[in-house]
Amino acid sequence: MNDFKFAFRQVLKNPGFTAVAVLTLALGIGLNAGIFTILNAVALRPLRVQGSERLVCVFQDFSRNRGRVPRNVYDDANRASYSEYREYRDNNHVFSGLVAYTPSVPVTLGGERPQQFVGTLTSGNYFEVLKVRPSLGRGFLDSDCTTPGQSAVVVLSDEFWRSGFGADLSMIGKAITLNRTPFVVIGVAPAGFRGTEVVPTAFWAPLTMQRTFLRDKDILGDDFCGWLALMGSFDLLSTFVIRISSFFEAIDRIRNAESATDNGQLTTNHA
């Protein structure tokens, strides 16, 4: 008790020092709270999808190749090209589904007052694998994501549908203009689903419409361009652990047979 009284008297005698100390503590606490908030949103909070604990992010690792692998990097060297994604999707026996997407694609919504948004380009199985069922309309079909540039369809986020189109129930089948190209609205995502990244997405469109959104070059047809994030789902954790090694070995054999120079490893992180 005497120590407390002594400390209190010292605080009163040195108001300047006290103010600096309190301000320093406040800034430190505030900074740490802010860092944790970001970390929680980025790494700790699970995705708002059914069975999110069974989703993992898949990356390619070319670090052991010491620059021998030719890569045309659009976003991240560890991301996959479209042809690599299809190879992994069609030749794996571990994941019950494997999706590809590129997030935060800038787009201009046409109209009397053009607006800037960000959207996501996805593979045709995106909503199916994530088990996200649109609240209106439908998700993508295989036919929507087959021919490059031939399927201008879009699924809107619930937030974008409400803020941009007044929650119009008749939006399904109507066209909106994205980057001066008409896109037919085929669905509206359920409330609360904002995509698989930290930054919320306004819409989802097929990967095959890449040239409408990313106009600089045909990265869809570039076999060595890393631009697609991969996410896989598995049914049982035990099955996943046992079979993941054989999956990687099989993929390595396939890639070694097709190209001796483009040989990397795959790694996974929990989504």
Side-chain angles (χ1 to χ4, degrees), residues 193-264:
F193 180 68
R194 308 171 75 184
T196 47
E197 297 289 323
V198 176
V199 178
T201 189
F203 66 88
W204 296 266
L207 285 174
T208 47
M209 295 300 296
Q210 172 255 310
R211 291 299 294 268
T212 300
F213 300 97
L214 307 173
R215 298 174 178 269
D216 50 352
K217 62 178 180 178
D218 180 22
I219 57 177
L220 183 73
D222 188 340
D223 293 339
F224 301 100
C225 184
W227 67 294
L228 295 175
L230 304 182
M231 183 173 289
S233 67
F234 52 92
D235 293 329
L236 295 174
L237 179 58
S238 58
T239 301
F240 174 76
V241 172
I242 292 172
R243 300 174 67 181
I244 189 66
S245 296
S246 61
F247 164 62
F248 290 159
E249 292 172 0
I251 289 299
D252 280 341
R253 287 196 298 270
I254 293 171
R255 297 187 66 183
N256 284 332
E258 294 184 351
S259 174
T261 60
D262 186 18
N263 182 27

Side-chain angles (χ1 to χ4, degrees), residues 2 113 120 125 148 173 206 235:
N2 291 331
R113 296 181 178 179
T120 299
N125 60 349
D235 293 329

Side-chain angles (χ1 to χ4, degrees), residues 88-206:
Y88 299 150
R89 178 198 63 193
D90 297 339
N91 292 282
N92 94 85
H93 302 286
V94 175
F95 301 113
S96 57
L98 185 66
V99 303
Y101 65 95
T102 184
S104 302
V105 176
V107 65
T108 300
L109 173 66
E112 296 181 359
R113 296 181 178 179
Q115 302 177 61
Q116 301 294 321
F117 293 93
V118 292
T120 299
L121 305 184
T122 76
S123 54
N125 60 349
Y126 183 82
F127 293 103
E128 178 184 358
V129 171
L130 296 182
K131 298 183 179 180
V132 175
R133 184 175 181 178
S135 58
L136 288 177
R138 62 173 178 83
F140 300 126
L141 302 175
D142 289 340
S143 58
D144 294 325
C145 308
T146 302
T147 307
Q150 296 299 311
S151 187
V153 294
V154 64
V155 175
L156 306 178
S157 71
D158 182 81
E159 183 177 344
F160 187 36
W161 172 60
R162 293 180 184 279
S163 63
F165 305 98
D168 184 0
L169 295 175
S170 64
M171 278 300 299
I172 305 301
K174 291 185 177 180
I176 62 174
T177 302
L178 301 176
N179 286 1
R180 299 182 180 181
T181 302
F183 277 75
V184 176
V185 178
I186 60 172
V188 175
F193 180 68
R194 308 171 75 184
T196 47
E197 297 289 323
V198 176
V199 178
T201 189
F203 66 88
W204 296 266

Side-chain angles (χ1 to χ4, degrees), residues 46-47 49-56 234-235 237 270-271:
L47 294 175
V49 298
Q50 179 181 351
S52 61
E53 70 280 358
R54 297 181 178 181
L55 297 174
V56 293
F234 52 92
D235 293 329
L237 179 58
H270 199 282

